[in-house]
Amino acid sequence: MRKKVCVGLILGLLPFFLTACAKKTMSSSKVDQSVVTITAGKQSDENYGRYAAGEDINHNPMIQEGIDQLGIKIQYNILGNNYDDYVNQLRLALTGAEVLPDVIPVYDQGLMAEMIESGQVKAIDEDLALYLPERLRVVYQNFPESFYSAKKGDKTYGLPIAPSLAETQVLVIRQDWLDKLNLKAPTTLAEFEVVIKAFAEEDPDGNGKKDTYGFSYSGDGLYSTGWLGDPAMLFSANTGKFIPGNWEENGEGELIYGSIQPGNKKTLEKMATWYQKGWIASDASVTNDWNAMLAFRDGKAGMYVGRPAHIEDSIEVESKILGAKIGVYPTIRQDNGEPTYQRAEENDGWLLFKKDFNGMEAFFKYYDWLYDAAFGTGDFKYGYLENYDYDIVKKQPVFDPTTFDPPQTRWLFNPSKAILTKNMPALDQMLPYHKAVTGDLATNGTEMKLQQLYHTDLKPLVVAGNIAYQNQEQLTANKFRGQLSDTLQDLFYRFQTKENQVFSDIISGKSDSSAFDAFVSDWEQNGGADITAAVNDWYLQTSEVKTSEANH
């Protein structure tokens, strides 16, 4: 099959969108075509698929499907148990102590900068121009800023993974506790305080013990995860869009760092009071995002914040604890009625490629194939694998394994956990939930699945997604997506490490709130001003590029 691909240059920013044309031949024949093997990095905690006897992450039906349909085999190198281990293993690979895979997923700008600086990953501008399929070219045109972090000079080194605005987070609450205590879901910080106090002091689980608390959250990193166990709404209640860890425009065309804004001190003082009274998690400073949700699922905490997709895990509390029921709500709002904000993610990390990797044509063929599920076309009209993530029963697709023919448990092998990207690519993360609630026509497997789930015990998952759809105004992206110099980047990391420690120490009572003032003073006097200046130099240059693009 021959395709003529039109390519281009937007002032050196996205050099594969507009101008020159090239021809490439892509054989679709599976006969006489040897299997192309692509190695890829993966961390084991994102690989929670359930395998049949003799199967594993590299030997399973989804891997075999790629071989059968495309002649492409994905071979995973498991690099560590979690993301920290994964990062350490990649750094060892840069020294030659470990083997660097062909495709390298990364999930933070700092690591990406290290990989680019190492000289061991390739610039992909020409590959994007030659091989990016036309339908994906349109997808990426909608999210040009997702490339900013992956550039150095006029070269692009990383491919944003599945650009799409991530789900808005929601507030997940023990509805049975609210009902028992005659409470309503909180809509402001003051109401939130009332609820967590009651959840901690009024024995909502009825066991006669003071063994519950109001809110679990992740405090082992910056206090804005954008993912799971996220306490950002508590800070945003006093800072608006200036949430921890984010760079936000101040209204005068300049970016300022959210973590140093004075409203954070008010939230920290409030949380310190809650901590001292036992109303919030006592171990949050060493609690990661996943364990924050597990505290809710295990019946210890009454609330957490997370994305709708996590409801399927937290709703297990209903089967573990007699009478337990979950409710899903929007996150709280500011006292002035405006939303509290949370980090918006426009892509699921980036893919980098080993410098000598020569299989980019095959990679884009595979990557485009994965998108069939999002478009509802080709091999994956309903899902990735029949009898696994869907089945055809009486000529209709069904998605709950208990309704398969024959019925299965819900814990089947999950094909989407054996693909090269961490999650299944999507065109719009939130719209399918909304369409499920309204009953609009479903056009792909995800939408069909959610429409069916809406009429099962997983209805709260769909309701949460519709809440996310209706509250997209809460999302605010980090406005800085460039790279700092090595010196400033190291300094910024040190500040962020100190920031996390200062915030945690104030909440736990190890320090009083004056420690926040000292942190801000240290920032202003010992390098923060230099970091801010560099960030705004980048922002000014980017703004000029945007203006030029608009004029063209």
Side-chain angles (χ1 to χ4, degrees):
M1 178 174 63
R2 290 183 177 270
K3 291 184 179 179
K4 186 174 183 182
V5 183
C6 290
V7 300
L9 176 68
I10 301 181
L11 299 176
L13 182 63
L14 301 178
F16 51 92
F17 281 156
L18 292 180
T19 53
C21 289
K23 279 187 178 179
K24 280 289 167 180
T25 298
M26 175 77 77
S27 172
S28 61
S29 171
K30 305 182 190 76
V31 181
D32 300 324
Q33 182 183 11
S34 60
V35 174
V36 175
T37 298
I38 298 174
T39 61
K42 215 171 189 42
Q43 61 203 62
S44 61
D45 65 353
E46 71 182 65
N47 166 40
Y48 59 80
R50 291 162 173 81
Y51 302 105
E55 295 179 355
D56 57 35
I57 185 60
N58 284 313
H59 303 88
N60 60 68
M62 192 63 191
I63 295 295
Q64 190 61 47
E65 190 75 0
I67 296 171
D68 293 342
Q69 299 299 322
L70 304 179
I72 297 172
K73 178 182 180 181
I74 305 298
Q75 177 75 33
Y76 294 110
N77 296 344
I78 299 296
L79 303 174
N81 295 320
N82 53 45
Y83 188 62
D84 288 339
D85 290 345
Y86 179 77
V87 170
N88 290 334
Q89 292 297 310
L90 283 181
R91 286 175 173 148
L92 285 173
L94 294 180
T95 70
E98 296 284 346
V99 176
L100 200 64
D102 298 325
V103 183
I104 310 151
V106 296
Y107 304 103
D108 67 75
Q109 296 178 196
L111 177 61
M112 184 157 54
E114 289 182 45
M115 303 293 292
I116 293 171
E117 287 296 326
S118 75
Q120 297 189 50
V121 296
K122 64 184 298 184
I124 61 171
D125 301 272
E126 183 177 350
D127 297 311
L128 289 167
L130 294 176
Y131 304 127
L132 185 68
E134 189 60 35
R135 68 177 181 177
L136 298 191
R137 196 176 302 280
V138 174
V139 170
Y140 278 93
Q141 283 175 328
N142 293 326
F143 295 93
E145 293 181 346
S146 64
F147 280 91
Y148 290 169
S149 300
K151 295 185 69 67
K152 181 181 180 183
D154 61 352
K155 298 293 185 182
T156 305
Y157 290 85
L159 178 72
I161 302 173
S164 173
L165 195 62
E167 297 170 338
T168 313
Q169 299 168 95
V170 298
L171 184 59
V172 185
I173 308 181
R174 280 290 295 272
Q175 185 66 46
D176 56 312
W177 290 8
L178 286 177
D179 295 342
K180 178 181 179 180
L181 302 177
N182 197 28
L183 296 170
K184 294 182 178 180
T187 61
T188 65
L189 194 61
E191 292 177 1
F192 180 85
E193 183 174 75
V194 170
V195 172
I196 61 172
K197 177 183 178 181
F199 281 0
E201 296 187 349
E202 297 184 28
D203 192 23
D205 60 356
N207 68 356
K209 300 177 182 179
K210 193 174 181 179
D211 57 356
T212 58
Y213 55 90
F215 184 62
S216 60
Y217 65 93
S218 173
D220 70 341
L222 294 179
Y223 281 69
S224 175
T225 70
W227 172 242
L228 179 60
D230 190 351
M233 70 174 187
L234 304 179
F235 293 90
S236 178
N238 289 313
T239 63
K241 286 190 175 182
F242 298 98
I243 58 176
N246 260 25
W247 291 88
E248 181 60 54
E249 193 170 313
N250 63 359
E252 299 177 0
E254 296 180 346
L255 298 185
I256 56 178
Y257 187 49
S259 300
I260 63 171
Q261 302 314 303
N264 290 308
K265 183 177 179 180
K266 292 176 63 177
T267 296
L268 290 169
E269 290 172 339
K270 182 71 71 174
M271 293 179 73
T273 299
W274 298 342
Y275 180 94
Q276 190 272 329
K277 293 179 180 294
W279 298 349
I280 58 176
S282 62
D283 58 353
S285 64
V286 293
T287 297
N288 64 24
D289 48 12
W290 187 253
N291 285 329
M293 183 279 293
L294 292 180
F296 176 90
R297 190 197 68 179
D298 294 340
K300 299 175 183 178
M303 290 187 285
Y304 79 95
V305 171
R307 293 187 187 170
H310 300 122
I311 302 297
E312 187 169 1
D313 296 294
S314 62
I315 203 172
E316 289 183 30
V317 70
E318 294 187 355
S319 59
K320 294 181 64 172
I321 299 175
L322 183 65
K325 183 179 180 182
I326 74 168
V328 288
Y329 298 90
T331 52
I332 64 173
R333 301 185 79 84
Q334 300 177 59
D335 287 343
N336 61 10
E338 294 183 7
T340 55
Y341 292 90
Q342 51 191 260
R343 183 176 300 176
E345 296 178 9
E346 294 183 340
N347 55 288
D348 200 8
W350 299 263
L351 297 176
L352 304 180
F353 303 88
K354 188 167 65 173
K355 194 172 186 66
D356 61 357
F357 176 53
N358 60 6
M360 294 298 290
E361 183 177 12
F363 162 79
F364 278 113
K365 182 179 182 181
Y366 172 87
Y367 188 54
D368 184 56
W369 181 62
L370 295 182
Y371 261 92
D372 274 354
F375 284 99
T377 58
D379 290 337
F380 304 138
K381 182 176 181 180
Y382 303 120
Y384 281 140
L385 291 178
E386 187 172 350
N387 298 321
Y388 290 95
D389 53 357
Y390 75 97
D391 194 12
I392 302 297
V393 178
K394 297 180 180 179
K395 299 183 179 181
Q396 295 296 320
V398 295
F399 302 90
D400 181 348
T402 63
T403 66
F404 285 9
D405 185 15
Q408 304 289 334
T409 69
R410 276 194 175 133
W411 306 117
L412 293 170
F413 165 68
N414 184 350
S416 69
K417 291 302 171 185
I419 62 177
L420 196 149
T421 57
K422 180 182 286 189
N423 298 300
M424 181 186 296
L427 300 178
D428 188 317
Q429 300 273 22
M430 290 171 278
L431 180 60
Y433 295 102
H434 179 67
K435 292 177 71 173
V437 172
T438 60
D440 290 353
L441 179 65
T443 59
N444 61 35
T446 298
E447 294 175 358
M448 295 174 190
K449 176 181 180 179
L450 290 172
Q451 286 194 353
Q452 292 182 17
L453 288 181
Y454 186 61
H455 300 286
T456 72
D457 58 346
L458 288 177
K459 180 178 178 178
L461 183 155
V462 185
V463 173
N466 188 46
I467 291 171
Y469 176 83
Q470 294 172 326
N471 290 276
Q472 295 179 60
E473 62 176 350
Q474 297 173 349
L475 297 174
T476 182
N478 187 358
K479 298 295 191 299
F480 176 61
R481 313 193 188 187
Q483 303 294 346
L484 296 169
S485 69
D486 289 346
T487 300
L488 290 180
Q489 187 63 61
D490 288 343
L491 180 62
F492 189 39
Y493 277 152
R494 289 199 296 272
F495 271 124
Q496 289 190 315
T497 300
K498 183 176 181 179
E499 170 189 330
N500 175 244
Q501 190 64 56
V502 168
F503 280 32
S504 295
D505 285 350
I506 293 173
I507 293 169
S508 66
K510 293 180 181 178
S511 303
D512 62 34
S513 62
S514 65
F516 176 79
D517 300 322
F519 168 71
V520 174
S521 177
D522 185 30
W523 167 275
E524 292 172 344
Q525 297 178 25
N526 296 303
D530 295 332
I531 295 171
T532 301
V535 166
N536 278 286
D537 284 345
W538 172 88
Y539 193 60
L540 177 61
Q541 294 172 15
T542 303
S543 298
E544 291 173 347
V545 169
K546 289 180 181 177
T547 301
S548 297
E549 289 174 3
N551 292 336
H552 284 75

